[in-house]
Amino acid sequence: MEWLTGSKIPIGKAAKQGFDWLQDNASWFFDGLANGLEHLINGILWVFQTPQPLVVVAFFVALTWVLQRSWKTTALVALGFLFILNQGYWKETTESLTLVLSACVVCMAVGVPVGIAAAHRPRLYAWMRPVLDLMQTLPTFVYLIPAIVFFGIGMVPGLMATVIFVLPAPIRLTHLGVSSTPTALLEAAEAFGATRRQKLWKVELPYAMPQIMAGLNQTIMLSLSMVVIAALVGADGLGVPVVRALNQVNTALGFESGFIIVVVAIILDRMLRLRGGDRQ
């Protein structure tokens, strides 16, 4: 076996050289990106933490009613937030919601246009598919290494690691929704003289909206699953007490904070679930 292991393919060395080159030549880009993301995080955090908690809870409850028109779902969301307040995890919950919302803003702003472009260019999607597979299958802890290298410690590296892990979901689902638009609808739009932009906005995007919303739901759930991992690079939120419980072997703290994460996931899922079922 020495003939096989004697000439090792330098994957790790090549990756290190690539990161070193980016640090030396693109530090201005990463510094600017970090500043922009930090302003986004601080702005969302200010919105969540400046008002009284019950005011924020009332806003989420009202938003749930507007989106779902179901008193049962609205009551469930209200009880979930009241339970979080009862357990004393409001600050950590708002920090995790800030991370999730920031990841949603970045992922949807990038993922939807890229998914549309991929749906219109099959060759582009064929090239992107292995990259998306790699982003989804690479262990999430690996993303923390470049995040620390380029952005240091704090919320920003946690957000970047989350975005890299979550981004394939909105891209794939947007591509699926747009590319599955029936040919008959597109031909009818062309027959009425629709331009490419009009077909996109009036035919393809409305037809793909259930898939795009499913991509948003997946983005939120996957982002929430990263809160514990993001805590390892200094990101605030519900992951911090989980990591503390692990270090202290504190069963009570671990189950308490872990159950709060479950409650937040249920709240967000019920709030954004599509009414009336999926498109047939």
Side-chain angles (χ1 to χ4, degrees), residues 7-280:
S7 56
K8 181 179 178 180
I9 300 175
I11 296 177
K13 184 178 180 181
K16 183 180 183 304
Q17 290 175 347
F19 288 138
D20 291 341
W21 185 88
L22 288 174
Q23 271 189 300
D24 295 336
N25 297 277
S27 58
W28 58 271
F29 170 77
F30 293 110
D31 291 341
L33 181 61
N35 289 333
L37 293 176
E38 191 170 356
H39 285 305
L40 174 64
I41 291 171
N42 290 337
I44 297 174
L45 201 58
W46 182 87
V47 171
F48 282 150
Q49 293 187 345
T50 301
Q52 289 294 326
L54 290 178
V55 175
V56 181
V57 171
F59 170 77
F60 277 107
V61 170
L63 180 61
T64 303
W65 173 255
V66 171
L67 294 175
Q68 301 297 333
R69 298 293 179 179
S70 168
W71 69 267
K72 293 182 180 179
T73 303
T74 304
L76 177 65
V77 170
L79 289 174
F81 276 115
L82 292 177
F83 175 76
I84 292 170
L85 287 171
N86 172 262
Q87 295 296 303
Y89 281 88
W90 179 251
K91 181 175 181 292
E92 292 82 359
T93 299
T94 56
E95 290 167 345
S96 291
L97 288 175
T98 297
L99 183 64
V100 170
L101 185 56
S102 301
C104 287
V105 171
V106 176
C107 289
M108 297 306 289
V110 175
V112 172
V114 172
I116 293 171
H120 291 159
R121 298 169 180 83
R123 286 188 178 181
L124 174 63
Y125 186 67
W127 175 83
M128 289 172 50
R129 188 180 301 163
V131 178
L132 297 176
D133 291 340
L134 179 65
M135 292 170 66
Q136 287 186 306
T137 56
L138 200 65
T140 51
F141 286 96
V142 177
Y143 297 137
L144 301 181
I145 301 172
I148 294 173
V149 169
F150 295 133
F151 302 104
I153 299 296
M155 290 286 280
V156 173
L159 174 59
M160 289 307 303
T162 301
V163 167
I164 296 173
F165 174 68
V166 174
L167 188 58
I171 292 177
R172 288 185 186 275
L173 287 168
T174 302
H175 168 269
L176 176 63
V178 174
S179 61
S180 62
T181 305
T183 305
L185 289 179
L186 298 175
E187 291 177 348
E190 291 176 358
F192 282 99
T195 63
R196 291 184 61 183
R197 178 171 295 184
Q198 289 173 330
K199 284 195 299 182
L200 173 64
W201 286 99
K202 296 182 180 297
V203 179
E204 292 176 328
L205 286 181
Y207 188 85
M209 191 54 64
Q211 294 290 350
I212 294 174
M213 291 302 298
L216 175 61
N217 186 277
Q218 287 294 304
T219 299
I220 292 173
M221 293 298 106
L222 291 172
S223 299
L224 194 57
S225 72
M226 287 287 290
V227 296
V228 177
I229 297 175
L232 297 176
V233 293
D236 298 323
L238 292 169
V240 175
V242 174
V243 174
R244 188 183 304 123
L246 179 63
N247 292 334
Q248 300 174 356
V249 197
N250 189 331
T251 306
L253 179 62
F255 273 88
E256 188 177 84
S257 53
F259 193 74
I260 295 295
I261 295 176
V262 173
V263 171
V264 173
I266 293 173
I267 289 173
L268 295 177
D269 179 66
R270 295 302 185 270
M271 282 182 60
L272 297 171
R273 177 171 294 184
L274 290 175
R275 288 191 293 131
D278 296 331
R279 184 188 61 234
Q280 300 298 324

